[in-house]
Amino acid sequence: MFEVGDYIIYGNNGVCKVDKIGTMDVSGTPKGRLYYTLSPVYAKGSTVFTPVDNKKVMMRPVISKEEAWKLIDDMNNIDTLWISDERRREECYKDALKSCDAREWIKIIKTLYIRKKSRVAEGKKVTTSDQKYLRMAEDSLFGELAIPLEMDKSKVEDFIATRVKKLEV
């Protein structure tokens, strides 16, 4: 169980802060059932209520500072998701996003950076689908890493790029 003040990943809502844990006085909700009141960090003014024992939506703690550094330092060793079948590729992206696993998000990002570069070199446009999944994976990854690294989400991409380049030398 999470504590008030914890930062967690809550499904497609991304990073949320646990504001409250308690029962809800709303008709139709079971008496005595505990709920988290969550504030999505990057959707100001939003609130999410979810049962503490929710098994349908992935909930996990945000990675630690140490785990964030290890993840960034290991990015060059993380594989891509290279799948030639368009429909299968999109399913793979959806599954990777639903997993709420930062390593899976990196696989999507790396794959789509390479695919984008290749398509542009061939004089082709980047597909709308590729842009959508790249944005979603980046939002998820950068949003999570911003918390333990104690930086603004908008600065995470440049921070990672600088760090990865230093490691390549």
Side-chain angles (χ1 to χ4, degrees):
M1 198 163 133
F2 302 111
E3 304 288 328
V4 171
D6 286 351
Y7 286 97
I8 68 169
I9 299 298
Y10 180 71
N12 290 336
N13 288 282
V15 180
C16 294
K17 187 174 184 180
V18 178
D19 289 333
K20 192 172 138 187
I21 303 168
T23 58
M24 291 183 66
D25 290 331
V26 178
S27 64
T29 61
K31 297 284 182 216
R33 188 172 189 189
L34 290 177
Y35 287 81
Y36 290 122
T37 301
L38 307 173
S39 294
V41 172
Y42 303 110
K44 299 295 181 209
S46 297
T47 303
V48 176
F49 302 96
T50 186
V52 168
D53 59 354
N54 186 342
K55 300 286 187 239
K56 293 179 183 174
V57 179
M58 169 64 78
M59 282 190 280
R60 67 166 176 80
V62 166
I63 62 176
S64 69
K65 192 173 212 164
E66 182 179 300
E67 290 168 324
W69 281 105
K70 282 182 185 176
L71 184 67
I72 293 167
D73 290 349
D74 197 37
M75 281 186 180
N76 285 331
N77 300 319
I78 296 174
D79 291 329
T80 58
L81 297 171
W82 214 251
I83 299 158
S84 54
D85 180 348
E86 289 289 330
R87 284 190 198 133
R88 177 76 185 104
R89 183 181 312 122
E90 189 165 350
E91 275 305 308
C92 210
Y93 295 160
K94 286 178 183 176
D95 290 345
L97 287 167
K98 281 184 204 169
S99 75
C100 295
D101 181 339
R103 293 182 82 78
E104 294 299 312
W105 298 333
I106 292 167
K107 288 178 184 180
I108 294 171
I109 294 166
K110 287 179 75 170
T111 301
L112 292 175
Y113 276 171
I114 292 167
R115 190 167 146 79
K116 180 179 181 179
K117 206 174 188 179
S118 168
R119 288 185 66 85
V120 168
E122 294 171 7
K124 296 179 181 177
K125 290 184 176 182
V126 179
T127 68
T128 305
S129 175
D130 283 358
Q131 287 176 322
K132 176 179 99 174
Y133 288 107
L134 177 60
R135 188 180 64 252
M136 290 169 70
E138 287 178 334
D139 281 349
S140 297
L141 180 67
F142 302 158
E144 179 166 10
L145 290 175
I147 300 299
L149 296 176
E150 300 172 7
M151 66 175 56
D152 190 78
K153 179 180 172 182
S154 64
K155 296 184 187 295
V156 173
E157 183 175 12
D158 289 339
F159 176 79
I160 290 171
T162 303
R163 176 81 180 174
V164 169
K165 281 181 185 157
K166 283 182 185 175
L167 294 171
E168 290 173 350
V169 176

